[in-house]
Amino acid sequence: QVSPALRTPLLPVWLCSVSGRHGVLFGTDSRLLSDWKCERVFHLYFYSGQREQTRTAHLTVDTHSHHWEEAQREGSPGQRRSALEMAIRTKWAGATVSWNGTDPFF
């Protein structure tokens, strides 16, 4: 029998399979599960266990950013987003993801 905590996690957590590689995307704010107002700007963490990842990536997700703000942040207009950012956008369409100084590696 599965524990109730496994069926309904206390913190937001997603198991990701992006481009054939697996990782865990998680948040430390439990309100993200129950309060939609917390989905404005929030922090997520990603860990894949891959050799090239030396520490857990700290991501800031902004679901209310504007397309012109994103263009200013990205620099070049043809710049591609990482596969992880595109996976995050399947839950929060149009969100911008800041890697907070870490080079996107996934």
Side-chain angles (χ1 to χ4, degrees), residues 65-85:
S65 61
H66 302 288
H67 67 331
W68 58 83
E69 293 172 341
E70 182 178 5
Q72 289 174 350
R73 269 188 243 131
E74 288 186 358
S76 63
Q79 186 175 4
R80 295 177 48 135
R81 289 180 185 81
S82 74
L84 182 60
E85 289 178 51

Side-chain angles (χ1 to χ4, degrees), residues 9-78:
L10 300 176
L11 295 171
V13 60
W14 297 271
L15 299 176
C16 303
S17 176
V18 180
S19 302
R21 294 169 36 193
H22 297 76
V24 178
L25 183 67
F26 61 96
T28 57
D29 186 356
S30 62
R31 296 176 303 159
L32 194 56
L33 293 171
S34 60
D35 187 0
W36 62 270
K37 290 177 260 175
C38 292
E39 291 186 7
R40 164 71 170 86
V41 176
F42 54 94
H43 302 279
L44 294 177
Y45 300 89
F46 181 75
Y47 184 73
S48 68
Q50 299 292 324
R51 192 172 306 137
E52 65 269 14
Q53 185 178 6
T54 57
R55 62 186 173 114
T56 303
H58 173 211
L59 309 172
T60 301
V61 180
D62 184 351
T63 60
H64 286 75
S65 61
H66 302 288
H67 67 331
W68 58 83
E69 293 172 341
E70 182 178 5
Q72 289 174 350
R73 269 188 243 131
E74 288 186 358
S76 63

